[in-house]
Amino acid sequence: MDHFHYRNRVLYCEDVAIPELANQYGTPLFVYSQATLLHHLTQLQQAFAPADPIVCYSVKTNGNLSICKLMAGNGAGFDVTSGGELYRALRAGAKGDHIVFAGVGKTDEEMRYGLNSNVLMFNVESEAELFALGEVAKSMDRRAPVALRVNPALPPKTHVKTDTSVKGTKFGLDIDSVLEVAQKVVGHPHLEIIGLHMHLGSPILSAQPYREGAEKGVHLIEKLRQQGHAIRFLNMGGGFGIHYRKQEALPAQAFAEVILPAVKASGCRLVLEPGRFIVGNAGVLISRVLYTKESGGRRFIIQDAGMNDLIRPTLYDSFHRIWPVVPDDSVPVMPDDFEAPIVGTVYQDVVGPVCESGDFLAKERALPLMKRGELLCTFSAGAYGMAMSSNYNSRLRAAEVLVTGDTHRLIRRRETFSDLVAAEEACI
Ligand code: LLP
């Protein structure tokens, strides 16, 4: 469920008309709904409540400080994957004991930063990293809390670029080697193995992988305890899918049903690292049509948002619903099925201004003919939109606005030309 809807053929976010926001803040513009953000966070907290979970919002998904602050203020912890994300989480008001530090390539400096911030645990992904962390902890006369990340070697379940738990990815310890590695640090004075972590991939539209992963996890936890490690946490990562096309995603409850029994069997406290589930459908990208043209037998809508604003279609061939912000009455207000023929539309490519043929938000998409100056909405852009945006072609990164009820405020101003060169200016 989200809080983007049409009233009299005008798109609203909660009680604010989107054209108002586009006029006030300009385009391209990311617009987020606070009610949607909190609704999704609450859904997870409630579905998993029997396991007293620490729901660690995955900062990589959308690290905007105001969004992180909202998460911290509503009981979420944080999953961070770099020193930069740790900085964001702390700036947003997170306490170290609600932060898990993940990532396959942490530097010594990042480990020190994590230890100094008293993070709840480091998700460790290789033997080499484990011993490096031991050294860093030793140099600080500390004992580092660790969750070993296991790659449970499950069948493929999502896009090859984001499937992290098939055999042969760079992520985690091979399931066959976890115990061997763990054995080497039994009684280590500067490392304490307190958890088992896995992240299966993203986005996942079925509960089955979680069932299989969790079962393998319970088995490993038993063995780790036999080795003498006091395992207290089972971290099942993130990856819960959302509705990009229509109603294809599962509710939080469906994932809880397969994960909770394993948590109970393990006697652990549950940690989750959801990102997309919370923020994906809480954000949209608003763009303005610059031109339309026909070329090589195709029709193009050229608008002011490009791959530098939302790279998912280019990178993963991902599908995002796109529809006019103010559709006229020759088309449905909002189609039920964006992949079926839609009355009043023709097939068009929605592209941006970036100098690459890969710069598109949609290909062969049923849309009405658009006029210069009209607004388009790209839905489900809250996750991995702004977070993966760039200054490619020296384009300025978009502004971000947070709506709550009938009020709105800027949570990131649009960049300026001087922002573009700020880090270089002093070096000329
Ligand atoms: N935990 C770990 C260890 C992760 O690697 C990720 C995502 C998450 C949690 C959060 O996953 P989520 O709940 O958001 O699905 N850029 C891609 C997705 C990459 C996911 C990377 N890891 C996309 O736009 O689809």
Side-chain angles (χ1 to χ4, degrees), residues 98-420:
H98 270 60
I99 298 176
V100 293
F101 199 153
V104 72
K106 301 175 199 74
T107 63
D108 288 11
E109 203 180 335
E110 287 176 319
M111 291 171 177
R112 269 193 295 275
Y113 188 18
L115 282 168
N116 276 329
S117 309
N118 297 316
V119 296
L120 179 63
M121 60 190 127
F122 293 86
N123 298 340
V124 167
E125 305 212 15
S126 64
E127 181 176 334
E129 183 195 343
L130 187 61
F131 282 105
L133 179 60
E135 284 303 308
V136 171
K138 181 177 175 196
S139 73
M140 296 170 69
D141 197 20
R142 293 280 301 272
R143 202 153 184 235
V146 169
L148 294 176
R149 174 169 177 175
V150 56
N151 177 344
L154 300 176
K157 58 205 92 50
T158 184
H159 192 280
V160 65
K161 286 186 184 148
T162 58
D163 200 337
T164 51
S165 62
V166 284
K167 215 176 158 85
T169 71
K170 70 175 177 179
F171 297 103
L173 292 156
D174 270 346
I175 188 151
D176 307 328
S177 69
V178 174
L179 294 174
E180 202 184 306
V181 171
Q183 185 61 45
K184 294 183 186 172
V185 294
V186 172
H188 192 294
H190 299 286
L191 292 170
E192 188 186 10
I193 313 287
I194 59 168
L196 187 76
H197 172 239
M198 65 185 80
H199 169 72
L200 304 182
S202 167
I204 297 179
L205 294 172
S206 150
Q208 183 60 16
Y210 290 92
R211 183 197 300 277
E212 285 173 39
E215 276 167 10
K216 291 185 180 195
V218 173
H219 181 70
L220 269 179
I221 287 170
E222 214 177 280
K223 301 271 182 209
L224 287 166
R225 285 185 178 140
Q226 283 166 12
Q227 289 179 328
H229 297 292
I231 306 294
R232 289 182 278 132
F233 297 97
L234 172 59
N235 182 343
M236 290 300 296
F240 308 136
I242 61 167
H243 306 314
Y244 278 112
R245 296 166 188 268
K246 28 190 177 181
Q247 300 295 305
E248 71 266 36
L250 292 174
Q253 200 59 43
F255 296 107
E257 270 166 26
V258 298
I259 292 175
L260 287 177
V263 178
K264 194 160 182 212
S266 73
C268 283
R269 181 150 188 214
L270 176 66
V271 179
L272 295 171
E273 301 172 346
R276 191 189 314 261
F277 190 92
I278 295 172
V279 73
N281 280 329
V284 299
L285 173 60
I286 305 300
S287 58
R288 209 177 273 282
V289 176
L290 297 170
Y291 310 105
T292 57
K293 78 175 200 180
E294 281 185 56
S295 176
R298 293 173 86 97
R299 285 176 187 271
F300 294 92
I301 300 174
I302 302 165
Q303 34 87 70
D304 61 5
M307 65 188 281
N308 70 300
D309 299 297
L310 182 66
I311 203 172
R312 303 192 69 257
T314 303
L315 200 54
Y316 316 115
D317 282 316
S318 334
F319 185 98
H320 285 257
R321 283 165 286 126
I322 300 180
W323 201 241
V325 169
V326 188
D328 68 26
D329 54 16
S330 64
V331 292
V333 173
M334 174 81 157
D336 294 329
D337 185 350
F338 280 77
E339 292 166 282
I342 303 169
V343 64
T345 66
V346 290
Y347 288 99
Q348 304 172 72
D349 289 1
V350 182
V351 303
V354 173
C355 300
E356 297 220 15
S357 355
D359 176 28
F360 62 90
L361 295 185
K363 292 217 160 171
E364 290 288 303
R365 189 60 69 81
L367 277 164
L369 293 175
M370 300 291 295
K371 291 195 203 63
R372 178 171 165 79
E374 287 182 331
L375 295 168
L376 281 174
C377 177
T378 301
F379 290 88
S380 311
Y384 307 106
M386 191 62 183
M388 294 178 82
S389 68
S390 79
N391 290 121
Y392 186 41
N393 278 200
S394 283
R395 292 175 52 72
L396 305 177
R397 253 178 292 219
E400 296 178 289
V401 169
L402 183 64
V403 172
T404 174
D406 59 4
T407 64
H408 49 90
R409 68 183 182 88
L410 202 57
I411 56 170
R412 181 182 163 118
R413 64 161 172 79
R414 188 172 304 284
E415 287 180 347
T416 62
F417 288 157
S418 53
D419 290 331
L420 270 184

Side-chain angles (χ1 to χ4, degrees), residues 56-114:
C56 291
Y57 172 65
S58 189
V59 177
K60 69 175 77 64
T61 316
N62 186 325
N64 184 288
L65 276 182
S66 296
I67 290 179
C68 289
K69 215 170 152 194
L70 199 61
M71 293 294 120
N74 285 276
F78 292 88
D79 150 40
V80 302
T81 208
S82 67
E85 288 188 358
L86 177 53
Y87 179 75
R88 280 185 182 277
L90 294 169
R91 282 292 299 264
K95 296 277 168 292
D97 64 0
H98 270 60
I99 298 176
V100 293
F101 199 153
V104 72
K106 301 175 199 74
T107 63
D108 288 11
E109 203 180 335
E110 287 176 319
M111 291 171 177
R112 269 193 295 275
Y113 188 18

